[in-house]
Amino acid sequence: MTKGMSDRSDDMENDKGEDIDKDNMEIELQKAVFGDDAGFHERVKEHGLAQHNRSREAGTPRGVEDWAEVDVGDLDDADLFILDSGPSRNSLPPTSSRKDREPSPEAAWHDSDDDHVTVSLQSNPRLRKLRVYEDEDLIRGTEYAKRLRRQYELLNPTPDWAKQALAEAKTRAEGLNGGDLEAFYRPSHESTSGDESVDSDELRASPLSTLFQQAAAFVRSDHGVSNDGTKIVFAGRRRYFHTWDLSSGKIDKVSRIHGHQKQHNSMERFKISPCGRWLGLVGSQRKGGGLINVLNAHTNQWIAEVRVEGKGGVADFAWWANGEGMTVLGKAGEAVEWDGGQKSIVGRWMDEGAVGTTVVAMGGRGSGGENTGGDRWVAVGSSSGVVNIYDRNSWGGEIPASPQPTRVFDQLTTPISHLVFSQDGQLMIIASRWKRDALRLVHLPSCTVYKNWPTSSTPLGRITSVAFAPASDMFAIANEQGKIRLWEVRG
């Protein structure tokens, strides 16, 4: 038994010290799986040559540094060197500034994801013309979009008519900052053809004017121009108004009237005196009647207060022609004559048959005395559509408490919203915005309504504004559709 154990120990020692010989099959298998030194270098050379052949087939040159590990003995000279001739004729200049690289934030086509996108210019032959230099490859999406746009502009230049339109738009935009406002507001079409006594033609206003007229149909607002044409005052349903100095382009905001700010929840109703010195601002307070605060039109400082008795507050007011006073109309029908020189009320009178008075207007040259302000006619409109017109020349020097109207116009049945006299005092327009085509033209001093105009086919719409030309030979009518039509008066 001892001998057997000794034999097994000798076998184990022989197994540990014996070097097992490998056959050819095992050696080939090991080389295929793990490789050897000679095969490694050969494979690197074959891989480099394959990459070179694919690059030549794609037409993309490679730099010399890419061939550091490649045997270049068999390569052509054209593959070993690159001629840097700078940007080609079709390439675009590089965009160096950050502002030029990034699109404007106002651009509707700008996508923030473009900053995270990369585009290869070498992979697609059609994109190689966008390269700035020959070896350029990867660029960001924003730069790619910029170069595509420039390439399109290079192939398709801006036409002359577009350049002219851009130049005109720039000129009109400069007019808002105190430039040529006359060119900005000049209509693009004027015509005075026709056979009727009052002819019509649609006026195409500038884009900004059209936008304002469309907004005016929904937003209650008011504006006025000083008598010298150097200042515009505009306001909306807010506790402030703005003044725009056209000579300097400066815009000032007036948000409070010291000592009287609680009387104005809104400053949308105001009128500038014909003399240009004063501005009348209707207060929203109705306790004890209505009131109007008179301000200095140049300094916006408070000057005086005009108050009317009765319920409902102030319906409307109109400055005298000489600008030295005003006529204030209460909603109860009471009219107050206020003298700016005396800063006091010089007369009161009642409108005959007043039922919810809405608007008052004055016009014509009169000779009724200092208390009438140089106006001959005063017209009062009501919520029932009736308009009373008074001849102030017949009043003499005293203002009667209950004057008799010269004529009563009852052609309209909806509340009167507009009463406008021509500059020469020979025409008056009566209109209501609460019904389509609700307008009448009145001849003065006969106080007769024209029967041949407007007709049933006259395109007036719902009227929002009416104005006469300074020469009284034309008048304009605006409606809720944002259109302004200009009409010529032929005598």
Side-chain angles (χ1 to χ4, degrees), residues 136-148:
E136 187 179 19
D137 188 10
L138 298 179
I139 60 175
R140 289 190 176 184
T142 53
E143 179 67 17
Y144 174 67
K146 181 71 69 176
R147 296 190 185 186
L148 283 178

Side-chain angles (χ1 to χ4, degrees), residues 128 138 172 180 255 280 436 468:
R128 292 172 189 168
L138 298 179
R172 295 192 175 189
D180 187 8
S255 58
R436 290 181 58 85
F468 274 96

Side-chain angles (χ1 to χ4, degrees), residues 243-317:
T243 60
W244 181 10
D245 191 343
L246 300 182
S247 58
S248 63
K250 183 180 180 181
I251 298 178
D252 295 326
K253 178 180 179 181
V254 180
S255 58
R256 61 182 299 179
I257 303 174
H258 294 284
H260 302 272
Q261 58 269 20
K262 294 183 179 180
Q263 299 174 352
H264 296 275
N265 294 330
S266 174
M267 297 185 180
E268 60 185 314
R269 299 175 59 192
F270 68 90
K271 292 181 181 180
I272 302 176
S273 63
C275 63
R277 294 184 299 169
W278 296 330
L279 184 147
L281 192 62
V282 179
S284 55
Q285 183 179 358
R286 299 181 181 180
K287 184 177 180 180
L291 60 90
I292 295 177
N293 283 316
V294 181
L295 310 181
N296 187 309
H298 302 288
T299 63
N300 298 321
Q301 294 181 348
W302 182 85
I303 301 296
E305 178 183 282
V306 184
R307 185 176 292 273
V308 295
E309 305 295 337
K311 298 180 180 181
V314 177
D316 194 15
F317 75 99

